[in-house]
Amino acid sequence: MKVAVIGAGLMGSGIAQTFAQAGYEVKNIDTFKDALAKADENVKKLFEKKVAKGKLTEAQKDEILGRLTYSPRMEDIKGAAVIIEAVPEKIELKKSVFAEIDKLADPEAVIVSNTSGLSISEIAAATNRPNKVMGAHFFYPAPVMKLLELIRGIATDDETYNTMKKMAQKIGKTTVDAPEFPGFIVNRILVPMQNEAAFMVMEGCEPKDVDNAMKLGCNFPMGPLELTDFVGVDIMLGTMKGLYKGFSDSKYRPCPLLENMVKAGYLGKKAGQGFYRYDKDGSIIG
Ligand SMILES: NC(=O)c1ccc[n+]([C@@H]2O[C@H](COP(=O)([O-])OP(=O)(O)OC[C@H]3O[C@@H](n4cnc5c(N)ncnc54)[C@H](O)[C@@H]3O)[C@@H](O)[C@H]2O)c1
């Protein structure tokens, strides 16, 4: 069975790798040739490391990489039974990509978006076959993380949903059914907790006290503020704003401290400063 993954960035290249590892013929498509070259190089390096560590034989590596090919042409989705979109999180871009997929994809193809929170029904409405469209939210890094949130749009039919669910099992993922509302399941619970942790810092708590409380009291591997720094204060704030707007509910009010941090460039680990300060190697120094 052939699978097409559109977008060869952080998520798309990992999703393509996941399917190739599970035995599928995968075409990873990206309009930017540099993105394709980078994805190809990263995936090859990763498999070379696996061989060096004795986790894979040279022959197994070649077999997997032989199933994973790259293309800058959308036409190459032809023949794919499942098409997974992983382009940037912008509704107009997703709608234009889905309209193009609609023109080119096989009539029976299942068309999936990896959106983190945009409306599946809205994306599906850009096609003439909204019944064949659904969401499948992978987590980063896609080849490692076990969870896959499955999201049905208003028009998604059972056949589409069941095809994706079976495929998810074949690639070793555990699925949960998530509602088509902002944040799905994980981000709807996780991000307000990070937001609440930011409120506590705004009220005068030390970040390390908040994080230690959650690590030692709840067995969390990482505190909510460390996690916010890790994913990016701006990214986390964007998700919180999506919940606030999507539900029109004041209980999702973003913490004003996060707004100030973003304005100041305190974007977390990537900026060397967030709730903590980081050295060049990314270790916390204060
Ligand atoms: N980054 C994460 O941790 C994460 C986790 C889960 C879901 N997501 C979702 O996955 C999607 C992709 O995110 P990402 O982090 O991989 O983004 P990214 O920016 O790393 O990659 C996006 C890729 O899409 C390509 N692209 C742009 N326009 C295109 C087009 N018209 N046709 C084909 N390719 C195009 C870009 O060249 C780029 O390589 C988003 O919807 C995001 O919300 C991200």
Side-chain angles (χ1 to χ4, degrees):
M1 191 189 269
K2 196 179 141 188
V3 173
V5 180
I6 301 171
L10 205 59
M11 293 306 294
S13 63
I15 294 168
Q17 180 198 323
T18 307
F19 278 96
Q21 275 174 203
Y24 292 95
E25 289 290 325
V26 185
K27 187 69 80 179
N28 196 181
I29 298 166
D30 199 297
T31 41
F32 296 90
K33 285 197 175 146
D34 286 357
L36 292 171
K38 199 171 147 201
D40 188 23
E41 194 189 321
N42 288 346
V43 172
K44 275 187 181 140
K45 266 192 204 152
L46 205 136
F47 278 101
E48 270 152 23
K49 271 192 200 155
K50 283 182 196 263
V51 171
K53 284 185 186 164
K55 288 183 181 169
L56 275 184
T57 64
E58 191 74 27
Q60 284 169 323
K61 178 200 79 172
D62 290 343
E63 201 185 305
I64 295 168
L65 292 178
R67 285 195 287 268
L68 176 55
T69 51
Y70 296 89
S71 167
R73 288 179 308 274
M74 267 305 250
E75 293 77 25
D76 286 334
I77 64 172
K78 282 184 186 147
V82 173
I83 299 160
I84 300 181
E85 166 276 316
V87 304
E89 189 79 344
K90 293 181 188 140
I91 189 67
E92 291 312 321
L93 174 64
K94 300 239 189 227
K95 280 160 80 173
S96 77
V97 167
F98 271 72
E100 211 179 336
I101 293 172
D102 191 28
K103 281 187 213 141
L104 298 165
D106 290 4
E108 290 311 312
V110 167
I111 314 169
V112 177
S113 175
N114 181 47
T115 176
S116 302
L118 298 173
S119 162
I120 301 300
S121 297
E122 188 176 355
I123 294 169
T127 72
N128 292 307
R129 41 175 135 173
N131 57 317
K132 306 300 281 177
V133 177
M134 66 176 286
H137 187 218
F138 289 80
F139 288 76
Y140 178 76
V144 177
M145 298 297 278
K146 284 265 165 250
L147 182 66
L148 189 61
E149 291 179 322
L150 297 182
I151 308 103
R152 295 177 76 138
I154 286 176
T156 308
D157 64 26
D158 289 345
E159 200 186 347
T160 301
Y161 170 83
N162 290 332
T163 302
M164 190 58 217
K165 190 165 175 163
K166 269 192 211 131
M167 220 168 186
Q169 281 159 3
K170 286 193 186 143
I171 61 170
K173 301 297 177 202
T174 300
T175 59
V176 291
D177 292 332
E180 195 200 12
F181 293 121
F184 304 137
I185 294 177
V186 170
N187 283 339
R188 175 141 164 216
I189 295 172
L190 178 67
V191 179
M193 184 190 66
Q194 293 172 270
N195 194 52
E196 196 60 30
F199 268 113
M200 297 193 75
V201 175
M202 196 171 84
E203 288 159 12
C205 286
E206 284 296 327
K208 67 174 180 358
D209 288 334
V210 175
D211 280 341
N212 279 339
M214 297 309 286
K215 285 194 280 191
L216 304 176
C218 300
N219 249 352
F220 281 16
M222 207 185 223
L225 299 165
E226 280 177 90
L227 180 65
T228 302
D229 274 2
F230 181 75
V231 297
V233 178
D234 51 336
I235 303 291
M236 184 251 139
L237 176 61
T239 309
M240 198 65 210
K241 282 181 172 171
L243 292 172
Y244 184 55
K245 188 165 171 255
F247 286 105
S248 303
D249 189 335
S250 62
K251 82 173 175 180
Y252 298 110
R253 179 172 70 105
C255 172
L257 174 63
L258 295 168
E259 296 274 10
N260 284 357
M261 288 175 72
V262 171
K263 283 178 195 154
Y266 285 24
L267 303 183
K269 203 168 173 178
K270 63 188 171 193
Q273 172 80 61
F275 286 99
Y276 300 96
R277 273 192 307 128
Y278 299 84
D279 65 15
K280 280 202 301 289
D281 303 323
S283 302
I284 293 178
I285 48 171

